[in-house]
Amino acid sequence: MRRIWSALAAITLVAAATAGCSDDGTGGSSGGGSVPGVTATDILVGTHMPLTGPAAAGYSKIAPATKAYFDFVNASGGVHGRKISYKIMDDQYNPANTQQVVRELVLQDKVFAILNGLGTPTHTGVLDFLKTNRVPDLFVASGSRSWNQPDKYPGTFGFNVDYTTEGKILASHVKETLPGKKVCFLGQDDDFGRDSLAGIEKILGPVAAKQSYVTSNPNVGPQMGALKQAGCQVVMLATVPGFTALSLGTAAKIGFKAQFVVTQVGADLRTLSKQLGAATPLTEGLISANYLPLSTDDANPWIQLFKKVNAQHNGNAEFDNNIVYGMSVGYLFVQSLQAAGKDLTREGIIAAVEKGGFQGPANAPLRFSADNHSGYGGEQLTKVEGGKQAYFGTPYQTDDADGPVAAYSAQAATPPQNGIPAAS
């Protein structure tokens, strides 16, 4: 597939060359070839996000935060003289809607790239369409391993730690600190849940009991009842925030007490607190992991930068880990644009991401290369204590196969003084 992509790119370049050599300012190529979404002064990218629907809690804040970071960069002149426009489409976390809005972004709006489209079940359905139309599919907001198939999908790249890698890290903690406990699992009924469980079972072996849910049914009573009946002492959750809150609330309602360990994408404390309201104390002791600075760490220079951007360009929205995530995505995209150079093409930005070498706010490595499109490769554990979510221990890195879970010692980079990555 990589050869097919290259061949199509070559055909496009030949066609552009035969069409004429004048530069009308509508494309990124100095040879005059028209690059969708790119003019001499602007870059248009788009995304699909659950601004409403079952996954909107927390996640609806991500894309506006990314846009705010772009507005911050634009206020200083943009990237290579181009300002970034970000069109955000609401798909309600519904795969049928995702296909519709992504087609609109590509065929009508003619975006340069799709950036940080959110969701495993939603984004899976547009992979082939984006490949066929040779649209860069950058930094998908999901930890599915589907994004890491460079031969099949050469233009698709992940961002999140993949769910299997994360499952291994969380399960290693359970194995070390809760030995002999009966460990069970509740996960989303798609690759999100299945990939997470695969990582957990690589470390722990088969779990004692497992249950699944679908986002269209906001009731986990039967699942929690079954886990209680099975005598589960540790429940590992692969859940979006709304279903993390439902799980905690339902367990309390039926008198089911267990240690809950939840994937990073479902663990933001401020999001859970909004969902739980007066029942927020149910989050006490919640174990999770993350790889980006926590929103409450005011001493972290990245948090200081992102809070400044949030105040100036995001209406001073309530600051949480979703905003940190969105701005981190924006920072990485600007790094990628800088690395791709002024003569911006779709092939050029893919080559720039594959070249890798990016450093940013995370306490884990980015794994981009020609053979690896999976994004971040490690996490550090977090725990809610005294109503606050904080890191503990050391960061870890591993893979989605049988590699060891090992300590990761490299430090996160310090943000540039002006908050904008320099051209490489």
Side-chain angles (χ1 to χ4, degrees):
M1 280 304 168
R2 189 185 303 277
R3 288 193 292 271
I4 291 172
W5 183 287
S6 299
L8 288 169
I11 291 169
T12 301
L13 291 174
V14 170
T18 59
C21 297
S22 63
D23 186 355
D24 62 3
T26 61
S29 172
S30 59
S34 178
V35 180
V38 179
T39 72
T41 57
D42 294 282
I43 305 165
L44 175 63
V45 292
T47 193
H48 62 89
M49 282 277 163
L51 303 181
T52 59
Y59 294 170
S60 62
K61 300 174 75 170
I62 291 172
T66 305
K67 182 181 183 301
Y69 183 76
F70 291 158
D71 290 343
F72 172 75
V73 173
N74 291 342
S76 294
V79 182
H80 297 301
R82 297 185 179 98
K83 296 188 176 181
I84 306 168
S85 298
Y86 195 34
K87 186 166 184 179
I88 304 164
M89 300 292 282
D90 182 12
D91 66 3
Q92 301 179 313
Y93 205 64
N94 181 320
N97 293 346
T98 307
Q99 294 192 39
Q100 179 180 341
V101 301
V102 169
R103 289 181 67 85
E104 180 179 330
L105 287 167
V106 171
L107 300 179
Q108 296 182 30
D109 298 312
K110 300 188 183 304
V111 296
F112 171 67
I114 296 295
L115 175 66
N116 201 225
L118 187 143
T120 301
T122 49
H123 199 77
T124 299
V126 297
L127 287 176
D128 288 322
F129 172 77
L130 293 174
K131 180 183 74 172
T132 298
N133 286 275
R134 295 185 291 120
V135 179
D137 181 20
L138 303 177
F139 316 143
V140 183
S142 156
S144 171
R145 291 182 289 178
S146 296
W147 326 139
N148 184 24
Q149 300 183 78
D151 288 330
K152 186 176 182 180
Y153 297 113
T156 295
F157 297 81
F159 182 87
N160 300 25
V161 177
D162 75 70
Y163 297 129
T164 301
T165 293
E166 179 179 54
K168 288 173 64 178
I169 292 171
L170 292 173
S172 294
H173 174 74
V174 169
K175 184 176 182 179
E176 293 171 7
T177 62
L178 298 166
K181 300 291 186 182
K182 184 175 283 191
V183 181
C184 302
F185 176 81
L186 170 66
Q188 195 160 293
D189 190 19
D190 55 26
D191 285 348
F192 171 20
R194 288 187 285 272
D195 285 358
S196 181
L197 180 60
I200 290 166
E201 294 191 329
K202 281 180 180 291
I203 301 298
L204 299 178
V207 295
K210 53 188 174 185
Q211 294 286 319
S212 64
Y213 72 91
V214 293
T215 57
S216 59
N217 182 11
N219 175 20
V220 294
Q223 295 93 324
M224 285 292 113
L227 296 179
K228 179 183 179 182
Q229 185 67 28
C232 302
Q233 297 166 295
V234 179
V235 176
M236 304 191 74
L237 299 174
T239 46
V240 296
F243 280 81
T244 304
L246 278 172
S247 298
L248 296 178
T250 302
K253 187 175 180 179
I254 65 173
F256 175 33
K257 295 183 178 181
Q259 172 63 63
F260 285 91
V261 180
V262 60
T263 179
Q264 177 262 336
V265 299
D268 176 59
L269 181 58
R270 287 190 175 172
T271 302
L272 295 177
S273 296
K274 281 192 168 183
Q275 295 283 295
L276 290 166
T280 294
L282 295 175
T283 60
E284 191 69 13
L286 186 71
I287 298 292
S288 185
N290 207 322
Y291 49 98
L292 297 172
L294 298 182
S295 61
T296 52
D297 185 5
D298 289 336
N300 187 293
W302 290 97
I303 297 301
Q304 294 168 6
L305 168 63
F306 293 157
K307 282 192 169 183
K308 174 184 174 182
V309 174
N310 189 55
Q312 292 179 354
H313 299 283
N314 199 31
N316 208 26
E318 183 181 16
F319 196 76
D320 62 15
N321 290 335
N322 298 292
I323 289 178
V324 174
Y325 177 96
M327 292 190 184
S328 298
V329 168
Y331 187 89
L332 179 60
F333 183 63
V334 171
Q335 286 182 300
S336 303
L337 290 175
Q338 295 280 33
K342 184 173 179 61
D343 190 18
L344 183 62
T345 65
R346 285 173 163 176
E347 296 76 25
I349 199 163
I350 289 168
V353 177
E354 286 189 334
K355 185 178 179 181
F358 301 120
Q359 291 185 309
N363 56 13
L366 272 169
R367 301 186 289 194
F368 295 137
S369 70
D371 299 317
N372 193 330
H373 287 193
S374 63
Y376 282 105
E379 287 182 314
Q380 186 173 355
L381 293 159
T382 67
K383 187 174 184 178
V384 177
E385 289 185 305
K388 296 182 179 180
Q389 193 168 42
Y391 279 124
F392 69 94
T394 185
Y396 293 95
Q397 64 177 335
T398 187
D399 57 21
D400 64 355
D402 297 317
V405 176
Y408 179 74
S409 58
Q411 298 296 310
T414 300
Q417 187 172 2
N418 68 351
I420 302 171
S424 57

Tab-separated table of all heavy atoms in Angstrom, residues 198-238:
chain	number	residue	atom	x	y	z
A	198	ALA	N	-6.866	-7.363	25.798
A	198	ALA	CA	-5.716	-8.129	25.308
A	198	ALA	C	-4.449	-7.769	26.071
A	198	ALA	O	-3.658	-8.645	26.440
A	198	ALA	CB	-5.523	-7.875	23.809
A	199	GLY	N	-4.246	-6.460	26.327
A	199	GLY	CA	-3.070	-6.039	27.075
A	199	GLY	C	-3.105	-6.514	28.515
A	199	GLY	O	-2.091	-6.973	29.065
A	200	ILE	N	-4.262	-6.418	29.134
A	200	ILE	CA	-4.414	-6.865	30.524
A	200	ILE	C	-4.085	-8.348	30.645
A	200	ILE	O	-3.340	-8.778	31.548
A	200	ILE	CB	-5.846	-6.579	31.007
A	200	ILE	CG1	-6.057	-5.068	31.159
A	200	ILE	CG2	-6.147	-7.296	32.327
A	200	ILE	CD1	-7.511	-4.666	31.306
A	201	GLU	N	-4.626	-9.134	29.731
A	201	GLU	CA	-4.440	-10.582	29.834
A	201	GLU	C	-3.044	-11.035	29.427
A	201	GLU	O	-2.624	-12.137	29.788
A	201	GLU	CB	-5.521	-11.299	29.024
A	201	GLU	CG	-6.908	-11.082	29.630
A	201	GLU	CD	-7.989	-11.966	29.056
A	201	GLU	OE1	-7.896	-12.324	27.856
A	201	GLU	OE2	-8.933	-12.294	29.795
A	202	LYS	N	-2.289	-10.194	28.699
A	202	LYS	CA	-0.882	-10.513	28.441
A	202	LYS	C	-0.082	-10.546	29.748
A	202	LYS	O	0.905	-11.272	29.870
A	202	LYS	CB	-0.263	-9.478	27.488
A	202	LYS	CG	-0.600	-9.688	26.018
A	202	LYS	CD	0.042	-8.626	25.151
A	202	LYS	CE	-0.290	-8.830	23.667
A	202	LYS	NZ	0.363	-10.029	23.111
A	203	ILE	N	-0.510	-9.759	30.720
A	203	ILE	CA	0.196	-9.671	32.000
A	203	ILE	C	-0.427	-10.596	33.052
A	203	ILE	O	0.287	-11.287	33.784
A	203	ILE	CB	0.197	-8.224	32.522
A	203	ILE	CG1	0.871	-7.287	31.508
A	203	ILE	CG2	0.872	-8.137	33.882
A	203	ILE	CD1	2.330	-7.587	31.235
A	204	LEU	N	-1.740	-10.625	33.128
A	204	LEU	CA	-2.431	-11.324	34.215
A	204	LEU	C	-2.963	-12.694	33.825
A	204	LEU	O	-3.374	-13.457	34.708
A	204	LEU	CB	-3.605	-10.473	34.714
A	204	LEU	CG	-3.271	-9.102	35.296
A	204	LEU	CD1	-4.560	-8.375	35.690
A	204	LEU	CD2	-2.353	-9.243	36.510
A	205	GLY	N	-2.970	-12.993	32.526
A	205	GLY	CA	-3.682	-14.184	32.101
A	205	GLY	C	-5.170	-13.883	32.056
A	205	GLY	O	-5.601	-12.743	32.246
A	206	PRO	N	-6.004	-14.905	31.833
A	206	PRO	CA	-7.449	-14.670	31.716
A	206	PRO	C	-8.034	-14.029	32.981
A	206	PRO	O	-7.728	-14.447	34.098
A	206	PRO	CB	-8.019	-16.079	31.498
A	206	PRO	CG	-6.873	-16.865	30.937
A	206	PRO	CD	-5.645	-16.309	31.582
A	207	VAL	N	-8.853	-12.999	32.794
A	207	VAL	CA	-9.511	-12.375	33.940
A	207	VAL	C	-10.587	-13.302	34.474
A	207	VAL	O	-11.065	-14.217	33.786
A	207	VAL	CB	-10.114	-11.009	33.555
A	207	VAL	CG1	-9.012	-10.025	33.188
A	207	VAL	CG2	-11.131	-11.151	32.422
A	208	ALA	N	-10.999	-13.057	35.713
A	208	ALA	CA	-11.964	-13.942	36.367
A	208	ALA	C	-13.358	-13.821	35.757
A	208	ALA	O	-14.118	-14.798	35.717
A	208	ALA	CB	-12.013	-13.644	37.862
A	209	ALA	N	-13.703	-12.620	35.322
A	209	ALA	CA	-15.009	-12.392	34.690
A	209	ALA	C	-14.889	-11.168	33.805
A	209	ALA	O	-14.102	-10.256	34.096
A	209	ALA	CB	-16.093	-12.180	35.742
A	210	LYS	N	-15.643	-11.127	32.730
A	210	LYS	CA	-15.592	-9.965	31.833
A	210	LYS	C	-16.985	-9.652	31.325
A	210	LYS	O	-17.802	-10.545	31.076
A	210	LYS	CB	-14.627	-10.199	30.675
A	210	LYS	CG	-14.852	-11.459	29.880
A	210	LYS	CD	-13.711	-11.680	28.897
A	210	LYS	CE	-13.827	-13.015	28.188
A	210	LYS	NZ	-12.680	-13.293	27.318
A	211	GLN	N	-17.238	-8.359	31.181
A	211	GLN	CA	-18.505	-7.847	30.709
A	211	GLN	C	-18.230	-6.743	29.692
A	211	GLN	O	-17.137	-6.167	29.658
A	211	GLN	CB	-19.332	-7.284	31.872
A	211	GLN	CG	-19.779	-8.326	32.883
A	211	GLN	CD	-20.893	-9.203	32.352
A	211	GLN	OE1	-21.822	-8.725	31.693
A	211	GLN	NE2	-20.804	-10.503	32.642
A	212	SER	N	-19.229	-6.434	28.871
A	212	SER	CA	-19.087	-5.364	27.889
A	212	SER	C	-20.341	-4.495	27.882
A	212	SER	O	-21.382	-4.879	28.428
A	212	SER	CB	-18.843	-5.939	26.487
A	212	SER	OG	-19.955	-6.692	26.054
A	213	TYR	N	-20.219	-3.323	27.285
A	213	TYR	CA	-21.350	-2.403	27.148
A	213	TYR	C	-21.326	-1.783	25.764
A	213	TYR	O	-20.297	-1.794	25.076
A	213	TYR	CB	-21.296	-1.303	28.211
A	213	TYR	CG	-20.208	-0.272	27.970
A	213	TYR	CD1	-20.446	0.882	27.227
A	213	TYR	CD2	-18.913	-0.452	28.475
A	213	TYR	CE1	-19.452	1.817	26.978
A	213	TYR	CE2	-17.916	0.468	28.228
A	213	TYR	CZ	-18.184	1.600	27.486
A	213	TYR	OH	-17.193	2.514	27.235
A	214	VAL	N	-22.455	-1.239	25.353
A	214	VAL	CA	-22.538	-0.447	24.120
A	214	VAL	C	-22.984	0.958	24.501
A	214	VAL	O	-23.781	1.145	25.427
A	214	VAL	CB	-23.521	-1.067	23.098
A	214	VAL	CG1	-22.981	-2.398	22.589
A	214	VAL	CG2	-24.905	-1.254	23.698
A	215	THR	N	-22.462	1.937	23.818
A	215	THR	CA	-22.725	3.330	24.214
A	215	THR	C	-24.175	3.734	23.998
A	215	THR	O	-24.623	4.728	24.570
A	215	THR	CB	-21.809	4.302	23.457
A	215	THR	OG1	-21.987	4.121	22.041
A	215	THR	CG2	-20.352	4.048	23.824
A	216	SER	N	-24.902	2.981	23.187
A	216	SER	CA	-26.300	3.324	22.943
A	216	SER	C	-27.227	2.906	24.088
A	216	SER	O	-28.404	3.266	24.090
A	216	SER	CB	-26.782	2.670	21.645
A	216	SER	OG	-26.638	1.258	21.711
A	217	ASN	N	-26.684	2.177	25.061
A	217	ASN	CA	-27.494	1.710	26.199
A	217	ASN	C	-26.855	2.176	27.505
A	217	ASN	O	-25.950	1.524	28.027
A	217	ASN	CB	-27.618	0.192	26.184
A	217	ASN	CG	-28.485	-0.333	27.329
A	217	ASN	OD1	-29.161	0.432	28.018
A	217	ASN	ND2	-28.462	-1.638	27.527
A	218	PRO	N	-27.312	3.302	28.053
A	218	PRO	CA	-26.699	3.853	29.266
A	218	PRO	C	-27.157	3.143	30.539
A	218	PRO	O	-27.682	3.769	31.464
A	218	PRO	CB	-27.142	5.313	29.234
A	218	PRO	CG	-28.475	5.265	28.567
A	218	PRO	CD	-28.379	4.180	27.526
A	219	ASN	N	-26.946	1.868	30.585
A	219	ASN	CA	-27.327	1.065	31.753
A	219	ASN	C	-26.310	-0.056	31.909
A	219	ASN	O	-26.219	-0.946	31.064
A	219	ASN	CB	-28.731	0.486	31.575
A	219	ASN	CG	-29.118	-0.449	32.727
A	219	ASN	OD1	-28.521	-0.386	33.804
A	219	ASN	ND2	-30.102	-1.299	32.509
A	220	VAL	N	-25.532	0.009	32.980
A	220	VAL	CA	-24.557	-1.053	33.234
A	220	VAL	C	-24.947	-1.850	34.480
A	220	VAL	O	-24.109	-2.543	35.055
A	220	VAL	CB	-23.124	-0.479	33.371
A	220	VAL	CG1	-22.648	0.108	32.060
A	220	VAL	CG2	-23.046	0.551	34.498
A	221	GLY	N	-26.211	-1.771	34.859
A	221	GLY	CA	-26.675	-2.524	36.020
A	221	GLY	C	-26.447	-4.018	35.897
A	221	GLY	O	-25.893	-4.642	36.826
A	222	PRO	N	-26.838	-4.647	34.781
A	222	PRO	CA	-26.602	-6.081	34.644
A	222	PRO	C	-25.119	-6.450	34.695
A	222	PRO	O	-24.748	-7.466	35.303
A	222	PRO	CB	-27.213	-6.410	33.280
A	222	PRO	CG	-28.236	-5.347	33.054
A	222	PRO	CD	-27.663	-4.110	33.674
A	223	GLN	N	-24.293	-5.630	34.079
A	223	GLN	CA	-22.859	-5.925	34.061
A	223	GLN	C	-22.265	-5.823	35.465
A	223	GLN	O	-21.495	-6.692	35.896
A	223	GLN	CB	-22.132	-4.967	33.109
A	223	GLN	CG	-22.519	-5.124	31.644
A	223	GLN	CD	-23.633	-4.207	31.207
A	223	GLN	OE1	-24.565	-3.936	31.979
A	223	GLN	NE2	-23.569	-3.719	29.981
A	224	MET	N	-22.584	-4.741	36.186
A	224	MET	CA	-22.060	-4.589	37.538
A	224	MET	C	-22.587	-5.690	38.459
A	224	MET	O	-21.858	-6.211	39.310
A	224	MET	CB	-22.434	-3.216	38.090
A	224	MET	CG	-21.631	-2.069	37.525
A	224	MET	SD	-19.880	-2.098	38.040
A	224	MET	CE	-19.108	-2.427	36.460
A	225	GLY	N	-23.839	-6.067	38.265
A	225	GLY	CA	-24.409	-7.152	39.061
A	225	GLY	C	-23.679	-8.462	38.832
A	225	GLY	O	-23.406	-9.220	39.777
A	226	ALA	N	-23.329	-8.728	37.565
A	226	ALA	CA	-22.609	-9.963	37.254
A	226	ALA	C	-21.206	-9.961	37.851
A	226	ALA	O	-20.730	-10.999	38.351
A	226	ALA	CB	-22.542	-10.138	35.736
A	227	LEU	N	-20.537	-8.811	37.826
A	227	LEU	CA	-19.195	-8.729	38.400
A	227	LEU	C	-19.231	-8.867	39.922
A	227	LEU	O	-18.350	-9.501	40.519
A	227	LEU	CB	-18.527	-7.413	37.981
A	227	LEU	CG	-18.274	-7.241	36.478
A	227	LEU	CD1	-17.632	-5.887	36.202
A	227	LEU	CD2	-17.424	-8.361	35.918
A	228	LYS	N	-20.251	-8.298	40.535
A	228	LYS	CA	-20.410	-8.474	41.974
A	228	LYS	C	-20.651	-9.946	42.302
A	228	LYS	O	-20.043	-10.502	43.229
A	228	LYS	CB	-21.569	-7.621	42.486
A	228	LYS	CG	-21.815	-7.775	43.989
A	228	LYS	CD	-23.033	-6.976	44.454
A	228	LYS	CE	-23.265	-7.156	45.957
A	228	LYS	NZ	-24.479	-6.434	46.431
A	229	GLN	N	-21.532	-10.584	41.534
A	229	GLN	CA	-21.847	-11.991	41.756
A	229	GLN	C	-20.613	-12.872	41.596
A	229	GLN	O	-20.463	-13.888	42.295
A	229	GLN	CB	-22.935	-12.438	40.777
A	229	GLN	CG	-23.434	-13.858	40.983
A	229	GLN	CD	-24.199	-14.038	42.291
A	229	GLN	OE1	-24.813	-13.087	42.795
A	229	GLN	NE2	-24.150	-15.235	42.861
A	230	ALA	N	-19.714	-12.478	40.704
A	230	ALA	CA	-18.493	-13.254	40.467
A	230	ALA	C	-17.448	-13.051	41.562
A	230	ALA	O	-16.407	-13.712	41.541
A	230	ALA	CB	-17.907	-12.871	39.114
A	231	GLY	N	-17.714	-12.148	42.510
A	231	GLY	CA	-16.767	-11.912	43.594
A	231	GLY	C	-15.550	-11.109	43.195
A	231	GLY	O	-14.475	-11.252	43.796
A	232	CYS	N	-15.697	-10.240	42.195
A	232	CYS	CA	-14.558	-9.453	41.705
A	232	CYS	C	-14.070	-8.484	42.783
A	232	CYS	O	-14.860	-7.805	43.425
A	232	CYS	CB	-14.963	-8.683	40.452
A	232	CYS	SG	-15.567	-9.732	39.121
A	233	GLN	N	-12.752	-8.423	42.941
A	233	GLN	CA	-12.149	-7.502	43.899
A	233	GLN	C	-11.463	-6.316	43.221
A	233	GLN	O	-11.294	-5.267	43.823
A	233	GLN	CB	-11.132	-8.272	44.760
A	233	GLN	CG	-11.762	-9.367	45.596
A	233	GLN	CD	-10.730	-10.315	46.167
A	233	GLN	OE1	-10.052	-11.028	45.425
A	233	GLN	NE2	-10.595	-10.315	47.486
A	234	VAL	N	-11.055	-6.508	41.992
A	234	VAL	CA	-10.479	-5.449	41.161
A	234	VAL	C	-11.251	-5.447	39.847
A	234	VAL	O	-11.411	-6.496	39.222
A	234	VAL	CB	-8.978	-5.683	40.882
A	234	VAL	CG1	-8.420	-4.582	39.989
A	234	VAL	CG2	-8.203	-5.790	42.188
A	235	VAL	N	-11.740	-4.270	39.440
A	235	VAL	CA	-12.453	-4.153	38.173
A	235	VAL	C	-11.682	-3.180	37.290
A	235	VAL	O	-11.499	-2.012	37.641
A	235	VAL	CB	-13.896	-3.666	38.362
A	235	VAL	CG1	-14.572	-3.473	37.003
A	235	VAL	CG2	-14.689	-4.655	39.210
A	236	MET	N	-11.222	-3.689	36.149
A	236	MET	CA	-10.501	-2.862	35.192
A	236	MET	C	-11.486	-2.413	34.119
A	236	MET	O	-12.195	-3.237	33.527
A	236	MET	CB	-9.322	-3.641	34.604
A	236	MET	CG	-8.397	-4.165	35.701
A	236	MET	SD	-6.824	-4.837	35.117
A	236	MET	CE	-5.956	-3.323	34.679
A	237	LEU	N	-11.530	-1.107	33.898
A	237	LEU	CA	-12.522	-0.506	33.017
A	237	LEU	C	-11.883	0.044	31.750
A	237	LEU	O	-10.919	0.817	31.820
A	237	LEU	CB	-13.243	0.645	33.722
A	237	LEU	CG	-14.030	0.345	34.996
A	237	LEU	CD1	-14.551	1.641	35.609
A	237	LEU	CD2	-15.188	-0.609	34.695
A	238	ALA	N	-12.427	-0.334	30.599
A	238	ALA	CA	-12.103	0.314	29.330
A	238	ALA	C	-13.365	1.062	28.917
A	238	ALA	O	-14.189	0.558	28.150
A	238	ALA	CB	-11.688	-0.708	28.285
